Amino acid sequence: MLIEIRQQLGCLHLTHLGYADQTVTKAGPIPDIAVLTTLPTTWALRYSAKNYYKVDPLMRTITLSGEISPIRGTVRDLGQDALAGGDSATFQRDRERRGLGNLFLGVNSSNSYGFRGLTEFTFQVEPAEQRLFTERIRKRLVAIASRIHTALHGSRNPALAAAAAKLLTKREIDCLYWAANGKTDGEIGEILDIARWTVVTYLQNAKNKLGCANRTAAVVTALALGVIEMPVISHRF
């Protein structure tokens, strides 16, 4: 879906972050963040090696209170952070040198339950034309960001997810998570250091508790509710 939108919009890359916290304070813990992106793997590896999440304005919206207004449809030029110099400027220059664009626009979105998300669109636009370009495309970006967030998190309800999570044990949630990541029963057993048939039992229990017909439905339900996240890049990545 992201690749299709990228082609239609004519942008270089899209990245969507989903996070359930309604308020994030500077003193609070950094949450795990569900990330979908069209950025190349080579950049993801460099990003990790350089610990760029500390200065990436997209990630800073998660870790710092008030970095971006939580109002749905807010559009911000994320590259403006580079004007302050320092590590932010280094990060921005590195992105530009590696062909990831020179205009980075972030758009806030949320579903009807308050589950928030943030989408970044990257473009290559002549500096003198960036302001006019942003104004011209603003409404379209807001609509597309809402479409992406709805497709990925439209049914996410933090309150319902918390209630559903209480029905499941930690091991059942762990098994659902790794099943969502495409792991087989045997692979999940190796990861969690438990027997394969124990994994089968945990997934069977989770299926019954969530009222699902099979394990696939249980995984989808857990993802839809937000009991487990999509494949995650966390702050520890």
Side-chain angles (χ1 to χ4, degrees):
M1 180 182 67
L2 295 185
I3 292 173
E4 179 183 347
I5 291 173
R6 182 182 68 181
Q7 293 171 342
Q8 294 173 353
L9 190 59
C11 65
L12 296 177
H13 290 287
L14 290 88
T15 299
H16 178 82
L17 276 62
Y19 51 103
D21 291 346
Q22 299 305 301
T23 58
V24 179
T25 64
K26 292 183 180 181
I30 302 173
D32 283 347
I33 304 163
V35 179
L36 272 77
T37 185
T38 64
L39 289 167
T41 302
T42 52
W43 172 251
L45 294 174
R46 182 175 179 81
Y47 184 100
S48 173
K50 296 282 188 177
N51 285 331
Y52 275 152
Y53 73 87
K54 294 181 178 179
V55 295
D56 182 354
L58 192 66
M59 291 296 179
R60 284 169 61 85
T61 65
I62 307 298
T63 60
L64 294 181
S65 175
E67 192 73 10
I68 283 186
S69 168
I71 298 174
R72 181 177 180 177
T74 299
V75 179
R76 180 191 174 200
D77 181 355
L78 298 177
Q80 290 298 307
D81 283 23
L83 298 179
D87 291 338
S88 294
T90 299
F91 171 66
Q92 180 75 353
R93 287 194 299 268
D94 200 5
R95 290 204 287 183
E96 293 183 15
R97 283 198 301 265
R98 293 175 189 282
L100 303 184
N102 66 349
L103 178 62
F104 304 86
L105 301 177
V107 184
N108 286 79
S109 53
S110 66
N111 69 6
S112 57
Y113 301 108
F115 190 100
R116 300 178 296 149
L118 181 64
T119 306
E120 181 185 64
F121 303 85
T122 75
F123 299 90
Q124 187 68 36
V125 180
E126 289 295 327
E129 301 175 5
Q130 289 182 0
R131 185 171 181 179
L132 181 60
F133 174 86
T134 300
E135 290 305 315
R136 186 170 63 246
I137 203 171
R138 181 182 298 273
K139 290 184 178 179
R140 191 176 179 192
L141 292 183
V142 170
I144 291 174
S146 178
R147 172 189 166 192
I148 293 172
H149 189 63
T150 297
L152 298 174
H153 303 294
S155 60
R156 290 292 181 92
N157 182 337
L160 184 58
K166 289 181 180 178
L167 297 174
L168 303 169
T169 67
K170 183 181 184 304
R171 278 303 196 199
E172 290 165 355
I173 293 174
D174 288 342
C175 288
L176 285 170
Y177 171 80
W178 288 113
N181 279 264
K183 301 300 183 182
T184 65
D185 294 341
E187 289 171 335
I188 295 173
E190 291 180 5
I191 292 170
L192 300 179
D193 195 24
I194 56 179
R196 175 180 178 275
W197 288 110
T198 304
V199 173
V200 173
T201 300
Y202 282 138
L203 290 173
Q204 181 73 16
N205 290 342
K207 179 200 76 171
N208 293 337
K209 290 178 180 180
L210 294 174
C212 297
N214 53 55
R215 61 182 284 171
T216 300
V219 168
V220 171
T221 298
L223 283 168
L225 289 174
V227 174
I228 59 173
E229 292 289 353
M230 293 176 293
V232 163
I233 297 177
S234 77
H235 69 284
R236 293 177 296 274
F237 174 71

